[in-house]
């Protein structure tokens, strides 16, 4: 069976509870993937997958700082 395509629709992106939890954590400020993994007690590939969906939907932004990727909320996307 083929995998379902990820969505760029913000409403569908936040329908998943783990993605809402990520957004809640990012509401307090920028966080690295490793921080999110530790706080959510999820595997890193799963957190990265959810972050990709949120990024594709325009809800989060990412920036590189050295070897880390830091994620933050995108206020325009949330409007």
């Amino acid at each position: 069976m083929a995998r379902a395509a990820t969505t760029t629709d913000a409403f569908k992106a936040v329908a998943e509870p783990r993605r809402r939890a990520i957004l809640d954590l990012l509401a307090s400020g920028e966080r690295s993937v490793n921080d999110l993994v530790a706080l959510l007690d999820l595997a890193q590939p799963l957190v990265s997958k959810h972050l990709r969906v949120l990024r594709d939907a325009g809800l989060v932004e990412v920036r590189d700082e050295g070897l880390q990727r830091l994620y933050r909320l995108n206020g325009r996307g949330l409007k």
Side-chain angles (χ1 to χ4, degrees):
M1 176 181 255
R3 291 180 59 181
T6 57
T7 182
T8 58
D9 180 332
F11 290 107
K12 289 182 182 177
V14 298
E16 212 288 334
R18 291 179 184 144
R19 292 187 200 126
R20 287 194 307 273
I22 290 171
L23 292 173
D24 286 343
L25 289 171
L26 293 177
S28 64
E30 224 174 31
R31 294 192 182 268
S32 70
V33 175
N34 289 335
D35 288 344
L36 294 169
V37 166
L39 291 167
L40 295 167
D41 195 30
L42 296 172
Q44 185 272 326
L46 184 60
V47 172
S48 292
K49 175 189 150 205
H50 288 306
L51 285 167
R52 170 90 187 231
V53 171
L54 292 169
R55 192 175 76 225
D56 289 347
L59 301 175
V60 299
E61 297 175 337
V62 62
R63 72 177 178 90
D64 294 328
E65 184 172 292
L67 298 176
Q68 286 189 337
R69 301 191 85 192
L70 298 173
Y71 288 84
R72 65 181 172 268
L73 291 179
N74 176 5
R76 293 179 310 250
L78 292 171
K79 284 184 180 183

